[in-house]
């Protein structure tokens, strides 16, 4: 029996005697059970210290061609380039053990770099470029394989931390003696610059949107000495901070480059600061394993190994094993095609249009790439702009839509106008997709089906809700009209979608057609990825289609973004130019739940809070969930050390999860793809890599 029929039946049996209008409203249910779909590889769970530690080793090794730089006097010896106690990646945890140097990983990406100033919000083109250049205080990607009892972020640039007795401060010890890829020391100055002049400066938004609220309201950071900083909190022991210190939100940029370009210390405008290091500014100093040494617009970004990388394997080999990284600037769909065909090396298979063909090719004996499906952690949602007081400066038409968006009946009407089963099937047939209610994704730790409110498809019910919102087709043209006091014209709303992904476009087109059937005229606003992000963050949209972020997978990453916990945390609702919020009562409630979650350390309480979050978010349609499905990791078979069961997305994307600095290609499988063999990055801003000679 369909949920629709079941609901009707329940209503009738309960003797509900609804009025004419109410009779048409179909009540919410629990979401449908997803079709069985077994993830292919299970990770091997280990405690965190099985993966890595910090210690001094007796001796260190590096590629021969790098030794030549040392011999030529162009580079200090490796032990002087490494920290006193480097981060040691344990070879015992590497699936294939210690690696050998050489070869290239050929990525293909659909994004385009705006520049290298990720601290000030430049996109580097995604697809692992940013993950490869940015290192953060803690590391979260590899946590997919950490056993639940030991689950907490891995130390990274922060080699350790301790809580004060009252739990109100966290003292953070930075790795000592690590250097940026140009040899400049990494220390508290970099961390404090990021905090004082990036996070705290309302004019600057780092790549993943960190703002003071990300770290808990009222949190401060103080320099203790060159390698120690201290967080002070207004709540007790908010362990959430360790995740906020991870990918996206606490990855400091090089202070020695950024300070002279920052408006507080130069004549630059904020826009000039953001764009001070465009993609053709080569050799931009990074803490990551590879440094950008070549950029050809719409063609390629090439990166060479960072001779100052501060991680080694437990045999003393300086990492990474791979000498070069390519990012072919193409499309995301091409990434799948090339990885499966063997002309690219890596893909997160996340666009269902490519599933069937990729599976078929991967099953062939001579397939160049291995493909492994994981859990259902890719979701798509339809998100309303909920600001009624001016965020994004709406014109009169847009303001009208905002007012409708703030009406629960309008949101319910939208939800019930969408046949999510059919929407999923329009992407791919088979057991992949499942209707998504919104909120936390199914197949995730905090998801609780019983706490999830799902509004089933029913055109009748949608229309009844629209009528409750005052919308009726008064002129008989098939499109609902606004109430007289709102002007009486046809409802016309825009739907913004990201054209970098075919999936987003397909989902958006499906939504437009279904809403049209329900009497809502939707015009598509299709934007390339970087423009989409900028337009969203500026609040200039009515509704948008978007893939879900990590906060809806893990609950513990980017948690502040789960609700308008601060003026700039929610992508659905930010403050207006005056800094004022006009939260709806359910948004206030959501924000409080999330704040409580962020300051709690009681596992049981956290679980309960997330259940409550799920109910309030899905019941009130804080975003209308559309569809959820699994993704597959595709990696060329010549690479060794790919951990079994690596999800394409969880705490971070697979580019972090696989720990690329430990991937290698065995000698007999090495291919000749290096574009700049025997070279290292040159000085910042110089024209490309340099040779030892
Ligand atoms: C994009 C891609 C993802 C992943 C991330 C990494 O978002 O769609 O698959 O590669 O970049 O930053």
């Amino acid at each position: 029996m369909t949920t629709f029929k079941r609901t009707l039946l329940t209503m009738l049996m309960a003797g509900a005697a609804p009025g004419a209008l109410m009779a048409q409203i179909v009540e919410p249910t629990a979401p449908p059970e997803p079709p069985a779909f077994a993830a292919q590889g299970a990770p091997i769970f280990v405690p965190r210290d099985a993966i890595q530690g910090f210690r001094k080793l007796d001796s260190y090794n590096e590629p021969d061609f790098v030794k030549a730089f040392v011999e030529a006097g162009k580079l200090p010896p490796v032990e002087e380039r490494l920290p006193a106690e480097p981060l040691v990646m344990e070879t015992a945890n590497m699936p294939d053990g210690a690696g050998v140097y050489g070869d290239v990983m050929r990525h293909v990406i659909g994004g385009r770099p705006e520049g290298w100033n990720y601290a000030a919000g430049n996109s580097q083109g995604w697809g692992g470029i940013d993950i490869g250049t940015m290192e953060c205080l803690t590391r979260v990607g590899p946590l997919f394989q950490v056993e639940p009892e030991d689950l907490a972020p891995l130390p990274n640039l922060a080699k350790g931390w301790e809580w004060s007795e009252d739990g109100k401060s966290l003292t953070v010890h930075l790795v000592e003696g690590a250097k940026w890829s140009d040899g400049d020391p990494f220390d508290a100055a970099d961390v404090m610059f990021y905090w004082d002049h990036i996070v705290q400066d309302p004019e600057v938004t780092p790549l993943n949107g960190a703002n003071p609220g990300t770290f808990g309201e009222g949190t401060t950071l103080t320099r203790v000495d060159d390698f120690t900083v201290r967080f002070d909190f207004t709540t007790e022991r908010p362990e959430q901070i360790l995740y906020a210190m991870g990918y996206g939100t606490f990855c400091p940029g090089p202070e020695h480059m950024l300070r002279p370009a920052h408006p507080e210390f130069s004549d630059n405008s904020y826009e000039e600061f953001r764009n001070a290091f465009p993609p053709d500014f080569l050799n931009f100093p990074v803490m990551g394993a590879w440094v950008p040494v070549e950029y050809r617009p719409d063609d390629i970004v090439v990166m060479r190994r960072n001779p100052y990388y501060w991680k080694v394997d437990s045999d003393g080999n300086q990492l990474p094993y791979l000498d070069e990284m390519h990012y072919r600037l193409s499309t995301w769909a091409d990434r799948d095609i090339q990885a499966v065909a063997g002309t690219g090396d890596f893909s997160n298979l996340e666009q269902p249009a490519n599933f069937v063909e990729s599976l078929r090719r991967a099953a062939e004996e001579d397939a160049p790439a291995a493909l492994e499906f994981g859990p259902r952690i890719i979701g798509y949602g339809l998100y309303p702009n909920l600001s009624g007081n001016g965020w994004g400066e709406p014109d009169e038409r847009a303001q009208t839509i905002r007012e409708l968006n703030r009406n629960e009946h309008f949101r319910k009407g939208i939800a019930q106008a969408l046949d999510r089963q059919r929407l999923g099937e329009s992407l791919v047939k088979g057991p992949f997709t499942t209707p998504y209610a919104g909120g936390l994704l199914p197949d995730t730790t905090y998801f609780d089906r019983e706490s999830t409110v799902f509004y089933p498809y029913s055109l009748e019910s949608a229309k009844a809700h629209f009528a409750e919102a005052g919308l009726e087709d008064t002129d008989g043209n098939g499109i609902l009209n606004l109430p007289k006091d709102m002007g009486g014209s046809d409802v016309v709303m825009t739907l913004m979608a990201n054209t970098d992904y075919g999936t987003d476009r397909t989902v958006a087109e499906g939504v437009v057609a279904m809403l049209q059937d329900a009497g809502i005229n939707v015009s598509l606003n299709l934007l390339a990825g970087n423009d989409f992000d900028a337009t969203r963050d500026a609040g200039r949209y009515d509704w948008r289609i978007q893939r879900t972020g990590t906060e809806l997978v893990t609950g513990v990453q980017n948690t502040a973004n789960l609700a308008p916990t601060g003026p700039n945390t929610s992508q659905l609702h930010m403050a207006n130019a005056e800094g004022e919020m006009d939260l709806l009562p359910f948004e206030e409630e959501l924000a409080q739940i999330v704040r409580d979650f962020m300051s709690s350390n009681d596992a049981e309480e956290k679980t309960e809070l997330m259940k409550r979050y799920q109910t309030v978010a899905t019941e009130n349609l804080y975003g209308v969930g559309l569809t959820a499905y699994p993704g597959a990791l595709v990696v060329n078979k010549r690479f060794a050390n790919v951990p079994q069961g690596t999800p394409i997305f969880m705490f971070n994307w697979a580019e972090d999860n696989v720990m690329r600095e430990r991937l290698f290609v065995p000698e007999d499988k090495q291919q000749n793809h290096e574009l700049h063999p025997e070279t290292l990055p040159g000085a910042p801003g110089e024209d490309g890599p340099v040779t030892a000679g």
Side-chain angles (χ1 to χ4, degrees):
M1 191 171 3
T2 63
T3 16
F4 172 63
K5 281 190 194 143
R6 199 168 21 206
T7 315
L8 260 188
L9 197 65
T10 328
M11 280 175 65
L12 292 175
M13 294 202 320
L21 193 64
M22 291 309 288
Q24 298 162 8
I25 286 187
V26 177
E27 295 301 321
T29 63
E33 291 276 11
F37 185 87
Q40 284 163 334
I44 298 171
F45 288 99
V46 295
R48 287 180 302 155
D49 63 9
I51 303 174
Q52 60 167 58
F54 285 86
R55 63 181 179 276
K56 183 175 164 44
L57 300 178
D58 291 343
S59 65
Y60 299 103
N61 185 31
E62 63 191 323
D64 287 341
F65 89 85
V66 183
K67 285 181 189 145
F69 279 77
V70 178
E71 276 150 28
K74 292 196 166 170
L75 204 62
V78 63
E79 52 282 352
E80 286 173 28
R81 304 197 310 268
L82 288 167
E85 294 186 331
L87 190 155
V88 177
M89 308 220 72
E90 308 295 349
T91 54
N93 177 252
M94 300 186 191
D96 302 295
V100 294
Y101 291 119
D103 214 324
V104 179
M105 180 164 257
R106 296 163 304 162
H107 289 276
V108 174
I109 65 174
R112 292 295 180 272
E114 295 173 321
W116 306 115
N117 197 357
Y118 50 87
N122 269 172
S123 151
Q124 296 164 80
W126 309 105
I129 294 206
D130 56 322
I131 293 167
T133 54
M134 293 154 71
E135 293 272 350
C136 317
L137 295 184
T138 60
R139 186 174 192 181
V140 293
L143 297 186
F144 75 91
Q145 58 157 287
V146 168
E147 50 196 29
E149 311 80 73
D150 196 35
L151 188 65
L154 292 163
N156 201 49
L157 288 171
K159 67 186 285 189
W161 46 81
E162 71 262 347
W163 293 92
S164 63
E165 207 140 299
D166 65 0
K168 291 289 192 70
S169 5
L170 182 77
T171 301
V172 175
H173 304 283
L174 304 174
V175 53
E176 286 189 38
K179 300 189 173 62
W180 291 90
S181 55
D182 62 347
D184 194 86
F186 167 82
D187 54 29
D190 297 298
V191 173
M192 292 313 301
F193 181 81
Y194 180 74
W195 182 264
D196 289 336
H197 303 294
I198 303 282
V199 174
Q200 302 293 327
D201 188 331
E203 302 291 330
V204 186
T205 309
L207 185 59
N208 282 8
N211 62 70
T214 308
F215 305 92
E217 288 309 318
T219 298
T220 60
L221 186 70
T222 313
R223 178 187 180 280
V224 177
D225 62 36
D226 272 357
F227 297 105
T228 318
V229 293
R230 192 188 67 238
F231 283 105
D232 290 294
F233 309 106
T234 56
T235 59
E236 264 171 51
R237 225 182 141 94
E239 283 176 13
Q240 195 65 39
I241 187 76
L242 300 174
Y243 288 95
M245 284 158 61
Y247 172 74
T249 44
F250 213 127
C251 319
E255 183 253 0
H256 64 291
M257 302 295 292
L258 301 188
R259 183 183 291 269
H262 192 288
E264 275 181 61
F265 311 98
S266 72
D267 295 335
N268 278 348
S269 68
Y270 278 99
E271 193 57 20
E272 284 163 340
F273 171 53
R274 186 178 191 269
N275 298 320
F277 307 99
D280 58 7
F281 184 101
L282 301 177
N283 309 310
F284 185 75
V286 300
M287 290 304 286
W290 300 274
V291 185
V293 298
E294 184 181 7
Y295 166 69
R296 289 191 233 144
D298 285 325
D299 182 1
I300 198 169
V301 172
V302 184
M303 304 213 185
R304 288 293 293 174
R305 62 180 303 119
N306 168 1
Y308 288 90
Y309 199 51
W310 42 287
K311 302 185 184 180
V312 300
D313 70 16
S314 40
D315 294 347
N317 300 302
Q318 187 184 27
L319 296 172
Y321 295 127
L322 299 173
D323 286 332
E324 199 170 289
M325 280 272 157
H326 295 174
Y327 296 91
R328 205 34 93 184
L329 304 177
S330 177
T331 66
W332 296 113
D334 191 38
R335 174 171 73 168
D336 299 340
I337 293 166
Q338 295 221 36
V340 169
T343 51
D345 292 326
F346 187 101
S347 189
N348 298 326
L349 190 66
E350 59 194 1
Q351 299 205 69
N354 292 336
F355 282 8
V356 175
E357 178 55 20
S358 303
L359 271 170
R360 194 193 57 73
R361 181 68 182 107
E364 288 169 6
E365 208 155 301
D366 66 345
L371 180 154
E372 200 177 79
F373 266 98
R376 276 194 189 85
I377 36 61
I378 305 287
Y380 273 85
L382 174 64
Y383 299 100
N385 187 327
L386 289 173
S387 161
N389 70 350
W391 175 46
E393 296 166 359
D395 59 16
E396 206 180 311
R397 183 208 57 80
Q399 180 62 27
T400 306
I401 298 294
R402 302 280 182 94
E403 273 151 34
L404 286 175
N405 290 352
R406 290 167 65 84
N407 180 324
E408 65 175 285
H409 284 290
F410 185 64
R411 298 194 303 279
K412 288 177 186 169
I414 300 270
Q416 295 203 297
L418 301 172
D419 181 346
R420 304 178 219 198
Q421 184 67 34
R422 195 149 60 86
L423 209 55
E425 280 164 11
S426 77
L427 296 175
V428 64
K429 298 241 168 6
F432 301 102
T433 66
T434 186
Y436 165 45
L440 297 158
L441 285 162
D443 277 17
T444 63
T445 316
Y446 284 116
F447 176 78
D448 177 53
R449 191 163 168 269
E450 299 307 310
S451 309
T452 306
V453 179
F454 181 76
Y455 291 89
Y457 172 55
S458 162
L459 218 44
E460 283 308 299
S461 188
K463 285 183 178 160
H465 278 300
F466 287 142
E468 289 272 320
L471 306 178
E472 245 172 282
D473 181 10
T474 47
D475 53 11
N477 69 349
I479 298 299
L480 297 173
N481 293 76
L482 292 167
K484 284 233 171 58
D485 60 356
M486 287 173 97
S489 61
D490 282 357
V491 177
V492 181
M493 65 181 222
T494 62
L495 174 61
M496 182 168 86
N498 180 343
T499 51
D500 286 6
Y501 298 93
T503 310
D504 297 48
R505 192 192 279 257
T506 308
V507 171
E509 283 168 354
V511 165
V512 170
M514 288 175 186
L515 290 181
Q516 184 82 29
D517 287 347
I520 308 274
N521 197 346
V522 185
S523 78
L524 264 183
N525 180 18
L526 296 170
L527 298 175
N530 291 338
D531 295 335
F532 177 94
D533 289 352
T535 310
R536 174 199 59 208
D537 296 342
R540 294 196 305 272
Y541 69 93
D542 293 348
W543 286 74
R544 63 185 161 85
I545 293 278
Q546 202 171 331
R547 194 170 67 186
T548 47
T550 175
E551 61 275 16
L552 294 172
V553 175
T554 67
V556 294
Q557 277 284 105
N558 298 342
T559 309
N561 302 2
L562 283 170
T565 49
N568 298 307
T569 63
S570 165
Q571 293 179 334
L572 283 64
H573 197 162
M574 294 197 190
N576 64 13
E578 285 71 49
E580 301 152 350
M581 301 290 282
D582 59 346
L583 298 184
L584 297 164
F586 89 85
E587 292 181 284
E588 301 267 13
E589 191 180 353
L590 272 188
Q592 194 51 47
I593 294 169
V594 172
R595 279 192 288 266
D596 291 347
F597 179 89
M598 285 175 71
S599 58
S600 166
N601 283 311
D602 181 317
E604 230 165 275
E605 183 185 33
K606 286 186 102 126
T607 305
E608 286 311 311
L609 284 165
M610 271 298 158
K611 285 187 186 167
R612 186 79 198 124
Y613 175 83
Q614 183 73 352
T615 303
V616 177
T618 53
E619 185 164 49
N620 292 285
L621 295 160
Y622 184 66
V624 179
L626 297 172
T627 186
Y629 57 81
L633 180 62
V634 185
V635 185
N636 190 282
K637 286 179 183 164
R638 75 179 191 285
F639 290 90
N641 274 350
V642 179
Q644 148 183 341
T646 306
I648 69 162
F649 190 51
M650 195 172 272
F651 295 92
N652 200 349
W653 289 98
E655 291 90 338
D656 189 29
N657 306 351
V658 295
M659 296 177 268
R660 284 179 299 175
E661 67 271 34
R662 342 184 295 194
L663 296 184
F664 73 96
V665 181
E667 230 137 337
D668 59 331
K669 289 190 184 156
Q670 293 208 352
Q671 297 179 354
N672 223 352
H673 297 302
E674 276 178 272
L675 290 173
H676 298 287
E678 317 266 294
T679 66
L680 286 175
E686 245 175 42
D687 193 18
V690 293
T691 57

